[in-house]
């Protein structure tokens, strides 16, 4: 009898051990944020109203109609007077930037944010196992990733990735890359470095579809330290729950709505097409459809399914009465919403689609006002605002949503591991936010341009 029991017990024990190992290995594949640091340039790099005026005035390619367009764009952008620009704007060399200028812009960010991240976390550069750098609009040889490795003397076996051309959604693509790497490498540290190179892409021409980028994009960046070390899970700030990427590059209309190119006069810049909102909406809708089952509770999914069935029944055969389709309540799946600061219209559009309140949209609006659109790093400024306002409590969830050229929409859900309250780059101004008014002084100071006649208009000396 005993040999018979042993005969059945051994395979069962083996099976149980294999199952335990499988689930135990899953625990080592988690992705946690240990710390992150946003970049704030020095105050002498602020693009105030008068400096922006001077910048417009010294462009020989702009006429009255372009000035009127810029005035309207700046006033409606949601950007304030304390955003930061690249150094070439302040040295009046934006129309002829050098390679050294572009590299210096990135190295200024690297040296500041990475050093602060290492100091805050206590993790040394030699402990980093994976490094992912994303700078969409510029690449050098050696790469920016290699420049970081050289400066901080990282190990020779560090796994390094240098991403370009991924647009404003690049930081979530980088996080996804780290998440996938963590499945193969246990007990690892990873750093995501995300920024954008404005120096060689500051547009000096007069095409409206390319001038607009100058009104939105600003200097910034962020460095994020991630790990899958089980021993550090209680020291982490956030735990990644899910991440979904949507890419509509196969659609010509979506592919061409946001492009780096030269105009007819050879001026390099970023083209933003009129069909961009449509492309963003399409990608956003598809992305939400995929991530919804992963973040919404079963009760909300059931409610939405029931309402959808009722909507189809009541709408059948009725072409006159068009009732709105039922929408999911995403507030049931997340307490906080970290939205890409692509512009006031982008924030308004996403807020309307998700039925968000002004409280939900405040972090994105304030980030746009204070720092502008810092491309792929903007999400981390929004997250830092939430933390500085002490909104983030243990167990709460943060839904991140970003858009990028391609056209792409990426989103992910983070769980707050512990109560958070560090001020990051908001330390010197968080008490003054939100301000009483987000009105831009451009209209007050330069509204007279709207009444000018093109036949008699002359630039003021």
């Amino acid at each position: 009898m005993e040999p018979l029991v042993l005969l059945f017990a051994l395979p069962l024990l083996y099976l149980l051990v294999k199952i335990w190992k499988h689930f135990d290995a899953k625990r080592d594949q988690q992705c946690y944020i240990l710390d992150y640091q946003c970049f704030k340039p020095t105050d002498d790099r602020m693009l105030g109203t008068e400096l922006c005026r001077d910048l417009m005035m010294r462009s020989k390619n702009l006429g009255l109609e372009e000035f009127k367009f810029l005035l309207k764009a700046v006033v409606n952008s949601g950007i304030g007077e304390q955003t930061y620009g690249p150094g070439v704007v302040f040295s009046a060399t934006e129309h002829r930037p050098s390679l050294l200028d572009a590299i210096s812009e990135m190295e200024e960010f690297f040296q500041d944010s990475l050093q602060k991240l290492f100091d805050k976390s206590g993790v040394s550069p030699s402990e980093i196992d994976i490094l992912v750098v994303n700078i969409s609009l510029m690449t050098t040889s050696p790469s920016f990733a290699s420049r970081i490795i050289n400066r901080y003397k990282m190990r020779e076996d560090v796994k390094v990735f240098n991403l370009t051309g991924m647009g404003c959604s690049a930081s979530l693509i980088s996080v996804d890359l780290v998440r996938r790497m963590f499945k193969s490498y246990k007990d690892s540290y990873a750093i995501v470095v995300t920024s954008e190179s404005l120096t060689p892409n500051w547009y000096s021409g007069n095409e409206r579809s390319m001038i607009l980028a100058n009104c939105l994009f600003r200097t910034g960046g962020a460095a994020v330290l991630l790990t899958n070390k089980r021993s550090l899970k209680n020291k982490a700030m956030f735990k990644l729950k899910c991440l979904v990427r949507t890419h509509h590059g196969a659609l010509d209309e979506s592919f061409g709505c946001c492009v780096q190119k030269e105009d007819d006069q050879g001026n390099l810049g970023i083209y933003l097409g009129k069909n961009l909102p449509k492309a963003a909406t399409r990608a956003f809708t598809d992305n939400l459809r995929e991530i919804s089952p992963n973040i919404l509770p079963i009760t909300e999914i059931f409610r939405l399914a029931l309402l959808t069935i009722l909507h189809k029944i009541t709408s059948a055969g009725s072409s006159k009465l068009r009732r709105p389709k039922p929408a999911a309540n995403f507030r049931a799946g997340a307490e906080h919403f970290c939205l890409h600061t692509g512009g006031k219209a982008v924030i308004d559009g996403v807020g309307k689609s998700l039925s968000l309140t002004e409280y939900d949209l405040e972090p994105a609006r304030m980030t746009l006002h204070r720092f502008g659109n810092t491309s792929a790093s903007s999400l981390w400024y929004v997250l830092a605002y939430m933390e500085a306002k002490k909104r983030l409590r243990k167990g709460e969830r943060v839904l991140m949503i970003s858009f990028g050229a391609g056209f792409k929409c990426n989103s992910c859900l983070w769980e707050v591991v512990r109560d958070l309250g560090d001020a990051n780059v908001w330390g010197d101004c968080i008490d003054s936010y939100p301000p009483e008014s987000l009105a831009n002084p451009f209209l007050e100071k330069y509204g007279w341009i709207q009444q000018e006649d093109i036949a008699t208009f002359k630039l003021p000396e």
Side-chain angles (χ1 to χ4, degrees), residues 224-242:
V224 186
L225 176 63
L226 304 106
T227 188
N228 61 349
K229 291 177 179 285
R230 195 187 309 179
S231 60
L232 297 177
K233 67 178 183 179
N234 293 324
K235 294 183 180 180
M237 301 175 71
F238 304 93
K239 177 183 177 180
L240 183 62
K241 304 296 289 184
C242 66

Side-chain angles (χ1 to χ4, degrees), residues 40-47 82-84 90 370 428:
K40 184 171 72 172
T42 54
D43 289 347
D44 60 352
R45 295 270 298 281
M46 284 186 181
L47 284 173
Q82 293 183 305
T83 61
Y84 302 96
F90 299 87
R370 177 63 181 84
D428 64 340

Side-chain angles (χ1 to χ4, degrees), residues 292-308:
S292 295
N294 297 319
I295 67 176
L296 294 178
I298 188 65
T299 53
E300 175 60 19
I301 295 175
F302 178 76
R303 183 193 71 86
L304 185 62
L306 182 61
L307 290 177
T308 301

Side-chain angles (χ1 to χ4, degrees), residues 32-175:
Y32 300 96
I33 293 179
L34 280 181
D35 213 332
Y36 66 101
Q37 179 63 48
C38 298
F39 173 56
K40 184 171 72 172
T42 54
D43 289 347
D44 60 352
R45 295 270 298 281
M46 284 186 181
L47 284 173
T49 302
E50 294 185 1
L51 181 59
C52 287
R53 176 207 60 193
D54 295 341
L55 181 59
M56 295 177 192
M57 295 298 185
R58 69 176 178 239
S59 178
K60 302 184 185 303
N61 295 319
L62 301 181
L64 177 60
E65 294 304 315
E66 286 76 26
F67 282 121
K68 289 183 177 181
F69 173 79
L70 280 170
L71 176 64
K72 182 179 179 181
V74 171
V75 169
N76 295 329
S77 67
I79 289 181
E81 288 194 285
Q82 293 183 305
T83 61
Y84 302 96
V88 288
V89 168
F90 299 87
S91 61
T93 58
E94 69 276 358
H95 58 289
R96 57 174 191 282
S98 67
L99 177 62
L100 181 60
D101 289 330
I103 293 174
S104 297
E105 179 191 12
M106 291 297 96
E107 289 189 337
E108 177 189 26
F109 150 62
F110 294 155
Q111 294 170 15
D112 177 89
S113 296
L114 279 172
Q115 191 59 56
K116 288 179 179 176
L117 184 65
F118 289 132
D119 293 342
K120 283 171 59 181
S121 65
V123 176
S124 72
S126 62
E127 295 179 89
I128 302 303
D129 303 287
I130 302 167
L131 173 66
V132 184
V133 179
N134 62 74
I135 310 294
S136 289
L137 296 177
M138 185 187 176
T139 183
T140 66
S141 184
S143 68
F144 283 123
S146 293
R147 293 175 186 275
I148 292 173
I149 291 172
N150 177 261
R151 175 171 178 78
Y152 291 99
K153 308 306 177 188
M154 294 182 176
R155 302 197 317 266
E156 63 182 17
D157 63 341
V158 62
K159 308 299 182 294
V160 57
F161 302 88
N162 196 88
L163 308 182
T164 61
M166 303 306 289
C168 296
S169 62
S171 65
L172 291 192
I173 294 173
S174 298
V175 169

Side-chain angles (χ1 to χ4, degrees), residues 2 15 124 152 165 268 312 331 407:
E2 289 183 0
L15 179 62
S124 72
Y152 291 99
L268 184 66
K312 289 183 178 180
R331 293 176 61 81
F407 193 84

